[in-house]
Amino acid sequence: MEPLRILSASWLFAGAVVAFLWAATGLLRNGRKAWPSAYFVAACGIWMLSGYCRLATNLSPYDLASLLPVPIIYSIGPSIYLWVLGNVTSSEKPGRFHLVWSAVGLALAGTLFFLGSDASVSPGLLWSIYFGAKSVTMGYLLVILSRMFWLTDAEVRDRYTGLILLCLIALLALLFGLIGSIPGWEVLRLISALALPGIVMAGFLFGLVHPDVIHSLKEDYQIRYARSRVMHLDLDSVTRRLDQLMEEDRPYLDEDFNLSALSQEMDLSPHQVSEILNSRLGCSFPDFVNGYRIRAALQMLREERDRSILSIGLAVGFNSRSSFHRSFKKHTGKTPRSYREEI
């Protein structure tokens, strides 16, 4: 085997090893919830291992061993897309129909295997398999990249420069693979194949350096999504309903009252309510609720002078003396005792 072929095969094998280790460590650290990401990383490993076998053993593309990975390779793009939907845009319900591409890959590979290399349509069918695998993956990466640009505001997009750059490099490598399917441009297909180990290794290192990037991306998406949903609401009507709920039902008297409970009462998502409070009222949920509690406490301090300060704090929804005193001073600039002494 010539030196370039040995180096190429070794590089693909190293990339496959990294992919399998990445998938295994993800499963060991995060259990079953990591299986979608572990799957597409391992699938990339199988793709590289397939390339290694082709280079190292001169395996024919028509052999069963060459065709077995095809359905898995066809599932890489859809599985990455489904993982992004599940971990970033978790409010959406991803359709499993995306995995039909695996069935397409299986049908193409099975047909080619049974026809063999002697059939007149076999070279064209083999070309379709190569072209289709890269086209499907490239299409899903384009959709993911477009979503990343949508879900993040321009001012926070710099946080994800590395992730976006990694996706762009992957797209460029796939584009080289597509062009390499054209007769006379085969060298680009080899470059495309050799780029995959580098992309996987870079992704592995990026995950080690930025372990919270997906969580951060999810939070930014939820903020952007809430803003887009709020834009279609009658905010004046929503704020009136909110004020009526708080004044009449007084849910803040329950110390366990939280953003989720308020969202259910308003028939909105927690992120929508949080965005409305921030944009329309200029406060966070704790400040909003504690404002009602403090107003109720002020009234009780005036009207029930024999009642203890702690009893009043607990009655209006605070769960401790310290939280009541801290919030009271924040809203009034005084302690409950000094306020009572002045009236």
Side-chain angles (χ1 to χ4, degrees):
M1 190 188 300
E2 60 270 25
L4 180 60
R5 196 180 184 92
I6 294 174
L7 285 173
S8 299
S10 301
W11 177 242
L12 287 170
F13 184 79
V17 170
V18 171
F20 293 139
L21 287 174
W22 186 4
T25 53
L27 287 172
L28 288 173
R29 288 168 55 188
N30 301 307
R32 292 180 59 184
K33 69 178 183 179
W35 78 261
S37 59
Y39 173 81
F40 74 71
V41 171
C44 289
I46 291 172
W47 199 353
M48 289 181 283
L49 193 61
S50 173
Y52 162 78
C53 292
R54 292 281 307 281
L55 288 173
T57 64
N58 290 318
L59 193 67
S60 168
Y62 298 97
D63 287 345
L64 181 61
S66 294
L67 296 173
L68 278 175
V70 170
I72 297 173
I73 294 170
Y74 267 71
S75 71
I76 291 175
S79 63
I80 296 174
Y81 177 73
L82 292 174
W83 177 77
V84 168
L85 287 189
N87 289 272
V88 177
T89 62
S90 55
S91 59
E92 302 180 26
K93 295 182 179 179
R96 303 298 177 187
F97 64 85
H98 292 283
L99 297 179
V100 74
W101 288 109
S102 291
V104 172
L106 179 62
L108 290 171
T111 302
L112 184 60
F113 175 73
F114 286 111
L115 290 175
S117 59
D118 297 330
S120 59
V121 298
S122 293
L125 192 56
L126 183 62
W127 180 88
S128 298
I129 289 174
Y130 288 148
F131 191 85
K134 290 179 171 61
S135 296
V136 170
T137 307
M138 188 174 181
Y140 277 101
L141 276 179
L142 282 170
V143 173
I144 292 169
L145 200 57
S146 67
R147 279 178 170 265
M148 285 183 65
F149 275 98
W150 177 86
L151 60 85
T152 57
D153 293 322
E155 62 267 22
V156 300
R157 200 170 291 149
D158 288 345
R159 298 181 200 167
Y160 311 109
T161 301
L163 194 58
I164 292 172
L165 184 61
L166 201 60
C167 288
L168 289 173
I169 293 172
L171 283 172
L172 184 61
L174 289 166
L175 180 61
F176 275 25
L178 289 176
I179 299 173
S181 301
I182 302 172
W185 294 82
E186 287 82 359
V187 66
L188 291 182
R189 194 168 74 190
L190 178 61
I191 293 173
S192 173
L194 295 179
L196 184 56
I199 293 168
V200 168
M201 292 176 187
F204 179 64
L205 292 174
F206 183 83
L208 291 177
V209 176
H210 305 283
D212 298 324
V213 67
I214 297 302
H215 179 71
S216 174
L217 193 60
K218 181 175 182 177
E219 288 185 341
D220 284 331
Y221 168 82
Q222 290 170 339
I223 292 170
R224 178 68 182 270
Y225 184 70
R227 288 176 183 170
S228 69
R229 293 287 300 274
V230 166
M231 289 171 60
H232 303 293
L233 296 174
D234 182 350
L235 296 182
D236 290 332
S237 174
V238 171
T239 51
R240 284 195 300 271
R241 284 199 298 121
L242 184 59
D243 184 63
Q244 183 180 12
L245 172 70
M246 299 298 285
E247 292 288 352
E248 295 181 0
D249 294 350
R250 306 177 78 189
Y252 55 84
L253 297 179
D254 182 357
E255 67 177 50
D256 295 323
F257 183 62
N258 55 27
L259 180 59
S260 177
L262 177 59
S263 303
Q264 291 178 8
E265 292 285 349
M266 296 294 295
D267 197 24
L268 297 170
S269 73
H271 293 288
Q272 284 177 302
V273 173
S274 182
E275 179 62 26
I276 291 169
L277 293 177
N278 285 320
S279 61
R280 296 284 290 193
L281 303 179
C283 64
S284 64
F285 172 76
D287 285 340
F288 172 72
V289 173
N290 287 341
Y292 279 94
R293 288 171 173 164
I294 296 303
R295 286 194 289 274
L298 289 171
Q299 182 178 352
M300 293 179 71
L301 285 168
R302 291 192 301 268
E303 298 177 355
E304 302 181 35
R305 299 186 65 86
D306 294 332
R307 189 166 183 173
S308 71
I309 290 175
L310 176 59
S311 174
I312 290 175
L314 296 177
V316 298
F318 290 100
N319 57 11
S320 68
R321 179 192 296 271
S322 60
S323 62
F324 177 43
H325 277 244
R326 185 169 55 251
S327 185
F328 194 96
K329 190 165 187 179
K330 179 178 180 180
H331 283 80
T332 68
K334 304 173 184 178
T335 65
R337 184 175 299 280
S338 63
Y339 174 79
R340 171 173 270 179
E341 290 173 350
E342 292 177 2
I343 58 176

